[in-house]
Amino acid sequence: MPGTKSRAATSNPKTGKNTPQVVNIRKQLTQTVVQLIMAQSQHKQISYFRLPVFKGKGLARHAYKKAGTLLLATLIAFTFPLSSHAQLNDRINKTILSVADSTDLTSDTASTALKTSGSPQIYIPKAIHYNKEEIHSDFVLAARRASFKKYLMEKTIKETFSGPLNQYTDYKFENACLSATQFLIKNQYTQRGFEKMFEQYFRLDPSARFALLTAVYGIYPVTFKDKIKEILPYERDPKLFAIAALYDYRIDTSITNRNRLMRQMEKQFAGSSQNVLLRQLSSYLLRHLADQITPTPSVIELFRYQQLWKQKTIYSFQRWDRNYSGLCIVQYEDGHFARDQNGKLKIFRQLARSGSGLPSFITNGNTPQGLYRIAGSRVSIDKLIGPTPTLQSIIPFQSDSVFFRGLPYDSTGTKLDNYKILLPPSWQSYPPMQQSFWAGAAGRRYIVIHGSTLDGSFFEGWSFYPNAPTDGCLSTMESWDTATGALDKSDQLDLVNTYHKTPGGLGLLEVINLDNQKKNVSVEEINALVEKFEASK
């Protein structure tokens, strides 16, 4: 029979294994995995991989793909404590053999199970640890920083904003706005450049108008109030209208002005009640001032409630005024908090302020309060973030299959109901803790926990100095050796290693505004919260 002949040509009649085709597949998989792990060890980003071609049919082909995918994912996901290429190749070969031995790659009736009795098991490390000595960035070298700053200030800012604004230079002005926002650059050139853009506001495309409005909101809180009032009645883009309205409201928070802005919104957007972003704008105008002075529910309840889900959790404690930096701590699955070898609570300095300082429901606004899912760590290719591993947090609506994985989910309830059930009862009725949910619904994405290579001198004079603002992520403190490019001190690295001290990449992140005090969150405040929780056990 044709099928029998084909199978005999590629498989051992007795076992279906160790044929030339399977041996070749093992070799190709080994080469692929070696390349991937070597790239990971050099902090290179892997965007995709391709499995070697397998010409089998039916279940055999499916089993091969499943085995290969699991193998590669397992190897890439963890850091191996290996000292040489030879040891690495040996480990990979043993792992590939264990997969091949438990999956018949050539039989059309093969089982897709990857483990069978008596077969070797795939090696999975218990924890991940990143070494400080292996982290290096040329971007932080003194000469490189000086060169970057000179180009930024003279070319990106001065030359662009001093030149003409037209269809050929629009993109330069837009990029200059983004740079000014990131580095909080306020000088005669930024002011003149923004004035030019307001003069041609409705000729600009939406992305350029967005860059202008976010820059103005973050850098010039009052200067352009008249320009904002001029454009507000004619802006038809919901997000741009919202930013302009927020600028106006920040200057005048009276009930009269609030009601005027609400009427303007209803007049310009007939379906405003159906637009998530405009609903959040309405909620902000109605409740923000009261929310800032409303007492936060008991943080101790959050610590206790964590035990229902047995998820390791990062708590990031912030102020309502994000010009002040916060602190974060880690609670493990069994409920105890991460401590150093001397028993001292591990606390990490963190900033939740964006360059624009906009509310959390606006793209690139401040980090929203609320729940996130942590889905492991990775190394960014963004030079401003740097090579220190990041913690990848998932916001609701970004990837619900990841956000709710391993957590209770009632399919008869709404997504918001399932989000709220992850919080203690007293927090379920506390609207500010839903900010991350509604930010996700409004389109925000990619809010992660990362370090920074930014030159802190840009932010001297700010209360959060020497930390650096972001595009709305959580920025954890780092300092670098500008002579060698080595990592000097990193709360970010310590946080990532602390998080990964127990197995598994999935966990929770909770961002909480404690109150509206005009000062950085203190170590004493966090110690007091944890001590109160531990005393009540």
Side-chain angles (χ1 to χ4, degrees), residues 2 54 206 259 288 300 309 354 368 380 405 438 440-441 463 500 512 526:
F54 175 63
N259 292 341
H288 179 65
I300 310 306
W309 320 126
S354 68
S380 173
R405 185 175 300 168
W438 292 113
S463 54
H500 280 307
I512 304 120
I526 306 306

Side-chain angles (χ1 to χ4, degrees), residues 16-116:
K17 302 166 187 172
N18 298 325
T19 65
Q21 184 179 6
V22 172
V23 170
N24 184 52
I25 288 171
R26 291 176 184 166
K27 288 181 179 179
Q28 292 182 68
L29 279 174
T30 300
Q31 293 171 359
T32 303
V33 173
V34 169
Q35 292 172 0
L36 288 166
I37 293 183
M38 287 299 98
Q40 284 289 89
S41 69
Q42 297 167 20
H43 304 302
K44 294 180 180 178
Q45 185 181 29
I46 304 300
S47 57
Y48 71 94
F49 62 83
R50 179 175 296 171
L51 289 172
V53 176
F54 175 63
K55 297 181 180 179
K57 299 179 180 179
L59 288 175
R61 186 178 184 85
H62 174 74
Y64 162 70
K65 285 189 174 182
K66 185 172 181 180
T69 301
L70 177 62
L71 168 67
L72 293 177
T74 300
L75 292 172
I76 295 166
F78 298 98
T79 300
F80 287 82
L82 305 173
S83 58
S84 67
H85 277 261
Q87 192 179 359
L88 173 63
N89 277 285
D90 180 65
R91 174 69 54 72
I92 293 170
N93 275 309
K94 288 180 179 177
T95 308
I96 291 173
L97 285 171
S98 71
V99 174
D101 286 345
S102 60
T103 308
D104 189 341
L105 299 180
T106 57
S107 171
D108 286 344
T109 59
S111 168
T112 58
L114 295 178
K115 294 182 181 179
T116 60

Side-chain angles (χ1 to χ4, degrees), residues 365-378:
N366 290 334
T367 311
Q369 288 189 83
L371 294 172
Y372 303 72
R373 199 72 193 278
I374 297 176
S377 57
R378 67 180 290 271

Side-chain angles (χ1 to χ4, degrees), residues 411-475:
S411 59
T412 65
T414 66
K415 191 180 296 185
L416 179 59
D417 290 335
N418 283 285
Y419 172 92
K420 289 164 66 175
I421 203 172
L422 302 176
L423 295 165
S426 62
W427 287 82
Q428 292 176 16
S429 57
Y430 180 63
M433 204 59 178
Q434 298 172 21
Q435 284 184 3
S436 64
F437 181 90
W438 292 113
R444 287 203 67 175
R445 299 291 185 268
Y446 312 115
I447 300 173
V448 303
I449 303 172
H450 62 72
S452 175
T453 60
L454 294 189
D455 184 351
S457 66
F458 282 103
F459 312 109
E460 286 186 32
W462 288 88
S463 54
F464 52 77
Y465 173 83
N467 212 332
T470 65
D471 284 338
C473 297
L474 287 167
S475 174

Side-chain angles (χ1 to χ4, degrees), residues 186-193 220:
K186 182 178 182 179
N187 58 31
Q188 59 179 319
Y189 304 109
T190 54
Q191 181 165 341
R192 180 58 187 136
Y220 293 96

Side-chain angles (χ1 to χ4, degrees), residues 261-322:
L261 291 170
M262 297 280 286
R263 289 194 300 270
Q264 190 75 52
M265 178 178 66
E266 293 167 0
K267 177 182 178 181
Q268 288 174 221
F269 302 94
S272 61
S273 62
Q274 303 302 313
N275 184 293
V276 174
L277 189 144
L278 292 178
R279 288 208 312 270
Q280 290 307 297
L281 171 62
S282 177
S283 175
Y284 184 92
L285 296 175
L286 291 170
R287 289 207 317 250
H288 179 65
L289 293 179
D291 283 344
Q292 291 183 87
I293 59 175
T294 300
T296 304
S298 172
V299 172
I300 310 306
E301 289 187 32
L302 289 176
F303 295 161
R304 289 184 184 137
Y305 208 69
Q306 180 258 10
Q307 281 300 281
L308 287 180
W309 320 126
K310 302 293 183 182
Q311 295 276 321
K312 53 183 168 183
T313 304
I314 295 176
Y315 301 93
S316 183
F317 297 105
Q318 304 292 333
R319 303 289 190 206
W320 278 95
D321 187 342
R322 295 295 178 78

Side-chain angles (χ1 to χ4, degrees), residues 185-253:
I185 300 170
K186 182 178 182 179
N187 58 31
Q188 59 179 319
Y189 304 109
T190 54
Q191 181 165 341
R192 180 58 187 136
F194 296 164
E195 289 170 352
K196 291 179 182 179
M197 295 180 78
F198 272 116
E199 290 167 3
Q200 302 185 42
Y201 182 81
F202 287 105
R203 184 191 63 77
L204 301 173
D205 64 28
S207 65
R209 301 207 301 270
F210 174 80
L212 169 64
L213 292 177
T214 54
V216 165
Y217 190 96
I219 303 170
Y220 293 96
V222 179
T223 306
F224 291 95
K225 62 180 181 179
D226 293 334
K227 293 293 185 182
I228 292 294
K229 286 186 180 296
E230 288 177 14
I231 66 169
L232 197 55
Y234 305 101
E235 181 55 76
R236 293 296 183 266
D237 183 292
K239 185 181 293 185
L240 302 183
F241 175 88
I243 299 172
L246 289 165
Y247 189 100
D248 189 297
Y249 181 68
R250 184 174 57 181
I251 296 171
D252 179 2
T253 58

